[in-house]
């Protein structure tokens, strides 16, 4: 299906993201930051906004799903202002990741 770049430093959460997306048929690469990544051919970025600056994620030519701690309203607002395509709490991302990815990839209604 799609090539997805997951940006996460939390190994447990990163492995859950990778497992859910791989089970949905996507090829997933995980990195600690956008600077350490090659996004050539990547069709979707899924990023932990606790570790990645939202401004570094926009304008790369593919949709971005950013997730944050539900209590961190400042991070949510900064990501939305920067232009991150979809910003959701970590709990929603964990529950709905395959559907959220499909929505951003143009294959679902969300």
């Amino acid at each position: 299906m799609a090539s997805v770049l997951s940006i996460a430093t939390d190994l447990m959460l990163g492995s859950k993201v990778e497992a859910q997306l791989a089970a949905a048929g996507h090829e997933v690469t995980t990195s600690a930051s956008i600077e350490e990544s090659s996004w050539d051919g990547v069709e979707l970025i899924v990023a932990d906004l606790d570790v990645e600056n939202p401004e570094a994620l926009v304008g790369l030519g593919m949709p971005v799903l950013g997730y944050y701690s539900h209590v961190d309203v400042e991070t949510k607002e900064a990501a939305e202002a920067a232009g991150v395509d979809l910003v959701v709490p970590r709990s929603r991302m964990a529950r709905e990741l395959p559907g959220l990815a499909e929505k951003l990839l143009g294959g679902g209604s969300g």
Side-chain angles (χ1 to χ4, degrees):
M1 293 191 68
S3 176
V4 180
L5 173 61
S6 170
I7 299 176
T9 55
D10 179 319
L11 295 178
M12 184 176 292
L13 186 57
S15 66
K16 287 181 182 180
V17 167
E18 186 171 349
Q20 284 188 29
L21 291 172
H26 301 294
E27 180 181 322
V28 183
T29 303
T30 301
S31 180
S33 73
I34 195 69
E35 290 83 21
E36 295 178 12
S37 307
S38 169
W39 58 87
D40 185 41
V42 169
E43 298 167 74
L44 174 66
I45 295 175
V46 177
D48 183 344
L49 297 173
D50 287 344
V51 298
E52 189 60 70
N53 179 348
E55 292 179 2
L57 300 169
V58 297
L60 299 175
M62 76 282 303
V64 177
L65 168 59
Y67 57 92
Y68 65 98
S69 171
H70 74 281
V71 297
D72 190 354
V73 176
E74 186 176 308
T75 294
K76 174 186 185 249
E77 291 173 349
E80 290 173 340
V84 173
D85 297 287
L86 184 58
V87 182
V88 299
R90 188 173 283 114
S91 58
R92 180 175 175 203
M93 186 277 307
R95 282 191 319 270
E96 303 174 24
L97 180 56
L100 296 170
E102 287 306 308
K103 177 180 178 181
L104 288 171
L105 290 165
S109 59

